[in-house]
Amino acid sequence: MPTTTIAGRQIDVDAEGFLTKPEQWDEELAQTLAANIGITLTDAHWVPIHFLRKDFETQKETATLRRVSTVGGIPVKDLFALFPGKPAKKMSYIAGLQKPKGCV
Amino acid sequence: MRTLVILGGGTAGTMAANKLRDRLAAEDWRIVVVDKDDNHDYQPAYLFVPFGINKSKHVRRSRHAFIDDGIELLMGEIDRVDPEGKQVHLADGRELDYDYLVIATGTTPRPDQTPGMLGPEWRKSVHDFYTYEGMLALKKALKEFRGGRLVMHITELPIKCPVAPLEFVMLADDYLTKKGLRKATEIVYVTPLDGAFTKPVASRELGHHLSKRGIKVEPDFMIESVDQEAKVIRSYDEREIAFDLLVTVPLNMGADYVARSGLGDELNYVPVDKHTNQSTAYPNIFALGDGSNLPTSKAGSVAHFSVEVFVENFCQLAAGQPMTHSFDGHANCFVESGKNKALLLDFNYETEPLTGHFPFPVGPMSLLKESRTNHLGKLAFRHVYWNVLLPGRPMPLPAEMSMFGKNVETESAHA
């Protein structure tokens, strides 16, 4: 797995740039990750990101868009407004998690 | 005397019941199967009947004909499971005590979950093909279709048989060509994924198959609503796709009683250990087939292979021994591509579908490549399903996936 330097730190990432070691993440890193994909984090952005991190602790995998909406209580429409185009990928990237599994 | 209750008499439930009845002594174990009706459908035919590849009379048989003697088959709607009290409550008030429970009630298309999908045009210009009724309505609609925009749409993953929508557009291409309507038809494939399929090699290969047929792919489309009056589907990011004939895969969900019993995730699938199908919450509950949250395809082949592993483990459990068998996520799917040809996918949790050859006992089949042998294999499978698989007879296919014959691509690490 490649490593990269983000915000002056060595970070382990996969081929698409998603963190492979979620423990290397903190909120400061999230700001940089968000900036990398053109997003400035506001309070509204932090709600789903904190949900993803908390959910990952118990589930050991990244919540899907549906889970963020039904369990996290954030409407899908709002997630598209906060993370335009590909909210599931963008949220998990900023939260330092793998993208949610698209089941085959 | 101990009791095993199996909820659902479909592929997984029927196979598990029959195989365990052969293995567990009748004086020690009572086996009960519960289902809401006596209709067992050969579900791959839901896709084939609209194109006339299978006849509707070949789809449906009685469940009880496939449940062996010595197994009780109860007809009834399941109200809820009480996992603490180890009881199943049926809607008519009957109660069933169990020592072990298998949840095998599958997944169901839920058009009610997308605003506008169930409207006056449902099964007129807006169709599904994952149900018996949907299959019949679509057969009629295709017969009456005179060209225009044919849109195949997937609401959200996971879905039952994830290759079926790809098969649908390739079969439609062939069907409309034969009817002289292909030039008058635009076929569009609308998916929430970023390509034709989830895994890189299969997505690339299957993507080629769509583009060479002139089928347009609209990726990353998360549907918000169907507007039946304007005949468009709308996404959350405000894209609109117009249709004359829409064939949609509605949101797939596990049974509602699973949610009422507190046993499901956000889509009513039962969280299980992916190698044993054992519930992560209750060690005396297992979920087999489409109703579990196994991170692989919801497909008959997965039900088949995982049931074989489950039966071995359950016999050990019944004998008071630790379970030593492990399911590897093996799936094996034919993909009908039209013109009497088909592709074959073979994969598991660790290995994505690759190109190469599949070591089938009667001769090699090509993987991820069209061939007539694959198509004949698919057609023959209906007989194998009714006569070998459901009765629980041995199949010459190992449950564990083999790397023999597969072309490994070094750059294609797991998706």
Side-chain angles (χ1 to χ4, degrees):
Chain A
M1 285 294 174
T3 59
T4 185
T5 306
I6 304 172
R9 281 185 272 166
Q10 281 282 312
I11 302 291
D12 295 63
V13 293
D14 69 10
E16 289 180 274
F18 289 84
L19 266 65
T20 52
K21 293 185 179 158
E23 64 276 13
Q24 292 176 335
W25 181 91
D26 61 24
E27 294 196 358
E28 190 196 335
L29 189 72
Q31 305 275 8
T32 312
L33 292 169
N36 285 350
I37 53 170
I39 289 174
T40 308
L41 295 178
T42 65
D43 289 350
H45 291 92
W46 281 110
V47 179
I49 289 168
H50 285 143
F51 172 79
L52 278 177
R53 293 294 304 188
K54 212 169 151 51
D55 191 67
F56 181 81
E57 282 174 30
T58 56
Q59 302 299 314
K60 307 292 174 222
E61 59 182 50
T62 309
T64 59
L65 203 57
R66 171 159 299 270
R67 190 168 170 87
V68 177
S69 126
T70 55
V71 181
I74 309 158
V76 175
K77 192 85 180 166
D78 295 0
L79 296 171
F80 268 91
L82 290 167
F83 306 94
K86 302 183 180 197
K89 271 189 171 180
K90 288 183 176 176
M91 279 189 296
S92 47
Y93 174 77
I94 296 169
L97 302 171
Q98 292 285 291
K99 64 181 173 185
K101 280 191 209 101
C103 285
V104 287
Chain B
M1 176 71 98
R2 287 185 282 179
T3 302
L4 167 66
V5 172
I6 298 176
L7 302 178
T11 308
T14 301
M15 279 187 73
N18 290 341
K19 280 177 176 285
L20 283 174
R21 187 66 292 170
D22 283 348
R23 302 277 295 273
L24 300 172
E27 58 272 24
D28 296 336
W29 282 90
R30 179 182 173 220
I31 302 178
V32 184
V33 175
V34 182
D35 209 304
K36 63 181 188 306
D37 59 39
D38 194 27
N39 297 324
H40 190 129
D41 290 353
Y42 177 62
Q43 298 183 62
Y46 289 165
L47 170 70
F48 299 146
V49 167
F51 299 107
I53 298 168
N54 283 163
K55 294 194 167 74
S56 50
K57 67 177 182 190
H58 291 141
V59 177
R60 180 163 279 182
R61 297 204 187 172
S62 288
R63 289 193 201 279
H64 70 255
F66 295 92
I67 304 274
D68 287 354
D69 292 348
I71 298 165
E72 295 166 50
L73 175 61
L74 294 187
M75 294 294 152
E77 196 78 46
I78 300 153
D79 177 46
R80 69 194 163 86
V81 174
D82 170 8
E84 302 295 340
K86 296 197 264 184
Q87 262 193 339
V88 177
H89 297 261
L90 301 186
D92 60 13
R94 279 182 289 177
E95 289 172 357
L96 280 168
D97 292 312
Y98 66 82
D99 296 287
Y100 288 92
L101 182 73
V102 168
I103 294 175
T105 33
T107 184
T108 307
R110 294 288 293 268
D112 58 305
Q113 299 289 312
T114 300
M117 203 176 269
L118 286 175
E121 286 297 311
W122 179 245
R123 298 206 171 133
K124 290 184 183 139
S125 62
V126 178
H127 289 263
D128 58 337
F129 61 77
Y130 277 86
T131 59
Y132 190 83
E133 295 73 22
M135 155 194 99
L136 296 176
L138 183 56
K139 183 182 169 79
K140 184 168 177 280
L142 280 173
K143 207 173 167 184
E144 291 166 1
F145 187 66
R146 293 291 171 267
R149 274 173 75 88
L150 171 58
V151 174
M152 174 76 235
H153 162 257
I154 301 161
T155 300
E156 191 171 315
L157 277 284
I159 58 171
K160 187 200 295 276
C161 194
V163 294
L166 290 161
E167 297 179 274
F168 179 84
V169 289
M170 292 193 280
L171 290 171
D173 171 70
D174 186 23
Y175 176 89
L176 294 169
T177 302
K178 281 177 189 150
K179 285 183 70 172
L181 287 168
R182 184 63 184 93
K183 286 197 173 69
T185 307
E186 191 179 355
I187 304 180
V188 187
Y189 187 82
V190 184
T191 172
L193 300 172
D194 56 12
F197 202 60
T198 48
K199 303 287 179 178
V201 174
S203 187
R204 180 193 73 206
E205 296 294 321
L206 293 164
H208 288 329
H209 282 288
L210 298 191
S211 64
K212 80 179 184 196
R213 287 168 175 80
I215 296 165
K216 189 182 161 230
V217 178
E218 181 82 23
D220 295 311
F221 190 94
M222 283 291 290
I223 193 166
E224 185 175 18
S225 63
V226 180
D227 185 336
Q228 296 203 350
E229 209 165 307
K231 292 215 168 182
V232 295
I233 51 175
R234 285 197 189 94
S235 66
Y236 281 108
D237 56 358
E238 283 153 21
R239 275 179 283 164
E240 282 190 357
I241 293 176
F243 64 84
D244 293 296
L245 181 59
L246 173 67
V247 181
T248 183
V249 180
L251 182 68
N252 276 213
M253 290 176 79
D256 284 336
Y257 80 84
V258 173
R260 285 197 295 274
S261 310
L263 291 169
D265 65 10
E266 63 278 6
L267 285 168
N268 303 349
Y269 297 127
V270 183
V272 294
D273 178 279
K274 68 179 186 176
H275 298 298
T276 62
N277 288 78
Q278 188 172 35
S279 155
T280 52
Y282 297 93
N284 65 333
I285 297 181
F286 292 80
L288 298 173
D290 295 344
S292 82
N293 78 335
L294 286 189
T296 186
S297 288
K298 297 200 178 297
S301 58
V302 171
H304 163 204
F305 297 133
S306 60
V307 163
E308 301 219 326
V309 173
F310 161 76
V311 165
E312 296 306 323
N313 278 332
F314 194 80
C315 290
Q316 290 178 318
L317 200 62
Q321 295 162 356
M323 302 189 292
T324 60
H325 299 265
S326 177
F327 178 56
D328 65 354
H330 189 193
N332 181 278
C333 303
F334 289 103
V335 182
E336 283 293 314
S337 57
K339 297 181 184 155
N340 299 325
K341 286 184 180 174
L343 298 88
L344 182 61
L345 308 186
D346 192 60
F347 54 104
N348 68 10
Y349 293 139
E350 307 302 326
T351 306
E352 61 168 316
L354 297 169
T355 56
H357 293 283
F358 180 69
F360 195 69
V362 295
M365 290 187 166
S366 15
L367 291 169
L368 264 175
K369 187 166 166 263
E370 285 181 283
S371 83
R372 187 163 163 74
T373 320
N374 289 341
H375 167 71
L376 294 173
K378 178 79 200 192
L379 288 189
F381 191 72
R382 182 160 53 86
H383 299 276
V384 174
Y385 182 79
W386 295 121
N387 300 306
V388 182
L389 201 68
L390 284 186
R393 296 199 178 101
M395 283 271 291
L397 273 180
E400 200 172 320
M401 196 202 77
S402 160
M403 284 305 290
F404 184 82
K406 288 188 170 66
N407 300 326
V408 179
E409 301 187 22
T410 43
E411 76 278 18
S412 67
H414 306 135

